[in-house]
């Protein structure tokens, strides 16, 4: 199992597309800190992106896209002297029409967001920089451009099933953006994501994710990367921040936590599935990592108020 695929699947990654936005002339739109990971692609024109906490705006050209991975307020604008309007009222006033700001339609953006399970920040997002910018004019971005072009075609043509297809394509785009970022700026990520950029550590991570219930030793994992035990232990700790077996334990607890959240398997069944020989062994490891026993964790989740999603959510700001 590929570790990135494994984590995205465990988190229940889903894409939600918005209605987009047109703009022209001198304009600026201010967005509140997003819920989840926001993305935008500039399908036409040019503008700038100013994110809370960043030292300078990021220029965006036609075909560029960006991911906003942290809940930070941001502004899209063409003119630094333009007075920003708030995105919420702009979308509300647009109703069923495409939101528009400024004079003319020389700029067109399509956006949306990715939603994840409640472990997304610790498992994925904390290891990423606040903004990932993918310029359209880089050769490595061809797969991202292809996915964005297909999304655009689905949303424009509106064939049967277009929304579902476009949302799946957006997840494809997310994976390509993360791949590109790891290849281009591996120093800008941390945790297991950083380990994917190291071929030795990545081999050990793939082995762990392929067989999490296996009683791995450091020696076995080192053979997967064709290095010594000491080399693997040092490189794994330097990049991931944990030793190989500590990472294995934490991943097993993530898998056990997921099964406790969404299923009704017995603790003994879950223990065997994730690599523990008994319910007591799982309980000891689970409490050491999470601070609560598996039974307490399951009860807390069962007692938490249910969140009911609207079957027809209102259009959200493109940012």
């Amino acid at each position: 199992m590929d570790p990135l695929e494994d984590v995205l699947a465990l988190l229940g990654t889903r894409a939600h597309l918005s209605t987009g936005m047109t703009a022209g002339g001198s304009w600026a739109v201010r967005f509140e800190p997003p819920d989840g990971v926001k993305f935008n692609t500039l399908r036409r024109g040019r503008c700038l992106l100013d994110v809370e906490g960043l030292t300078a705006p990021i220029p965006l050209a036609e075909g560029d896209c960006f991911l906003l991975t942290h809940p930070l307020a941001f502004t899209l604008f063409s003119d630094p002297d333009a007075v920003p309007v708030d995105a919420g009222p702009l979308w509300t006033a647009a109703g069923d029409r495409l939101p528009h700001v400024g004079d003319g339609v020389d700029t067109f953006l399509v956006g949306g967001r990715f939603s994840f399970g409640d472990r997304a920040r610790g498992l994925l997002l904390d290891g990423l920089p606040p903004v990932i910018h993918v310029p359209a004019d880089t050769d490595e971005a061809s797969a991202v451009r292809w996915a964005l072009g297909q999304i655009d075609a689905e949303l424009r043509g509106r064939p049967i099933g277009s929304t579902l297809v476009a949302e799946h394509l957006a997840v494809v785009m997310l994976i390509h953006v993360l791949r590109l970022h790891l290849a281009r700026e591996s120093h800008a990520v941390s945790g297991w994501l950083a380990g994917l950029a190291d071929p030795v550590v990545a081999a050990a991570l793939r082995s762990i994710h392929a067989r999490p219930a296996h009683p791995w030793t450091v020696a076995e994992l080192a053979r997967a990367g064709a290095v010594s035990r000491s080399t693997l232990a040092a490189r794994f700790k330097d990049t991931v921040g944990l030793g190989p077996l500590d990472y294995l334990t934490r991943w097993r607890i993530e898998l056990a936590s997921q099964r406790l959240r969404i299923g009704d398997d017995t603790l003994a069944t879950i223990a065997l599935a994730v690599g523990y020989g008994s319910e007591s062994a799982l309980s000891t490891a689970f409490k050491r990592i999470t601070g609560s026993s598996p039974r307490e964790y399951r009860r807390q989740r069962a007692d938490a108020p249910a969140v009911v999603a609207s079957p027809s959510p209102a259009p959200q700001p493109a940012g």
Side-chain angles (χ1 to χ4, degrees), residues 194-206 221-222 224-227 232 235 239:
L196 294 181
D198 182 313
V200 169
V201 176
L205 285 169
R206 286 194 296 271
L221 293 170
V227 295
L232 173 65
R235 286 173 67 164
T239 55

Side-chain angles (χ1 to χ4, degrees), residues 273-293:
V274 301
Y276 291 98
S278 67
E279 180 181 324
S280 63
L282 170 63
S283 296
T284 299
F286 198 97
K287 188 160 188 176
R288 176 164 56 85
I289 298 300
T290 68
S292 63
S293 72

Side-chain angles (χ1 to χ4, degrees), residues 39 44 103 193 204 207 212-213 263 279 301:
F39 74 91
R44 183 174 68 243
D103 299 315
L193 277 168
S207 297
E279 180 181 324
R301 296 292 161 166

Side-chain angles (χ1 to χ4, degrees), residues 20-34:
M21 181 183 83
T22 58
S26 176
W27 61 272
V29 181
R30 179 175 49 241
F31 297 84
E32 295 296 320

Side-chain angles (χ1 to χ4, degrees), residues 57-136:
I58 299 171
L60 301 175
E62 186 170 307
D64 285 13
C65 73
F66 69 87
L67 294 180
L68 188 67
T69 64
H70 293 200
L72 299 170
F74 66 101
T75 301
L76 291 166
F77 63 97
S78 66
D79 180 356
D81 295 326
V83 177
V85 298
D86 290 330
L90 185 67
W91 258 253
T92 300
D96 295 334
R97 296 174 289 108
L98 200 63
H100 176 263
V101 64
D103 299 315
V105 290
D106 52 280
T107 302
F108 175 50
L109 297 106
V110 173
R113 66 182 177 89
F114 296 102
S115 62
F116 305 93
D118 59 3
R119 288 288 295 131
R121 187 124 320 262
L123 278 177
L124 177 65
L125 304 181
D126 283 345
L128 295 169
V131 182
I132 299 176
H133 173 216
V134 181

Side-chain angles (χ1 to χ4, degrees), residues 45-303:
R46 291 179 177 273
C47 68
L48 293 102
L49 166 68
D50 186 31
V51 179
E52 178 186 4
L54 266 62
T55 56
I58 299 171
L60 301 175
E62 186 170 307
D64 285 13
C65 73
F66 69 87
L67 294 180
L68 188 67
T69 64
H70 293 200
L72 299 170
F74 66 101
T75 301
L76 291 166
F77 63 97
S78 66
D79 180 356
D81 295 326
V83 177
V85 298
D86 290 330
L90 185 67
W91 258 253
T92 300
D96 295 334
R97 296 174 289 108
L98 200 63
H100 176 263
V101 64
D103 299 315
V105 290
D106 52 280
T107 302
F108 175 50
L109 297 106
V110 173
R113 66 182 177 89
F114 296 102
S115 62
F116 305 93
D118 59 3
R119 288 288 295 131
R121 187 124 320 262
L123 278 177
L124 177 65
L125 304 181
D126 283 345
L128 295 169
V131 182
I132 299 176
H133 173 216
V134 181
D137 59 359
T138 56
D139 292 339
E140 299 89 345
S142 59
V144 177
R145 290 198 302 272
W146 173 85
L148 290 170
Q150 294 298 111
I151 291 170
D152 194 28
E154 291 289 331
L155 295 180
R156 286 177 182 273
R158 289 294 180 183
I160 294 173
S162 60
T163 298
L164 183 60
V165 170
E167 289 176 352
H168 281 289
L169 285 166
V171 175
V172 171
M173 182 204 73
L174 171 65
I175 293 171
H176 281 301
V177 169
L178 293 175
R179 282 180 184 171
L180 174 61
H181 185 69
L182 284 171
R184 189 179 60 185
E185 298 185 59
S186 58
H187 63 279
V189 297
S190 61
W192 65 271
L193 277 168
L196 294 181
D198 182 313
V200 169
V201 176
L205 285 169
R206 286 194 296 271
S207 297
I208 288 171
H209 281 256
R211 300 168 64 195
H214 180 74
W216 290 106
T217 65
V218 176
E220 282 183 293
L221 293 170
R223 283 196 292 273
V227 295
S228 68
R229 287 180 298 175
S230 59
T231 297
L232 173 65
R235 286 173 67 164
F236 205 104
K237 182 69 178 290
D238 286 345
T239 55
V240 178
L242 298 167
L245 299 187
D246 288 335
Y247 178 86
L248 170 63
T249 297
R250 289 178 179 273
W251 181 241
R252 285 173 170 175
I253 298 307
E254 290 292 349
L255 295 176
S257 299
Q258 181 195 37
R259 295 181 72 140
L260 289 167
R261 289 193 300 269
I262 66 174
D264 56 4
D265 289 339
T266 65
L267 295 187
T269 299
I270 295 174
L272 289 174
V274 301
Y276 291 98
S278 67
E279 180 181 324
S280 63
L282 170 63
S283 296
T284 299
F286 198 97
K287 188 160 188 176
R288 176 164 56 85
I289 298 300
T290 68
S292 63
S293 72
R295 294 185 188 278
E296 291 169 340
Y297 181 87
R298 173 173 270 171
R299 185 168 58 251
Q300 290 164 1
R301 296 292 161 166
D303 292 342

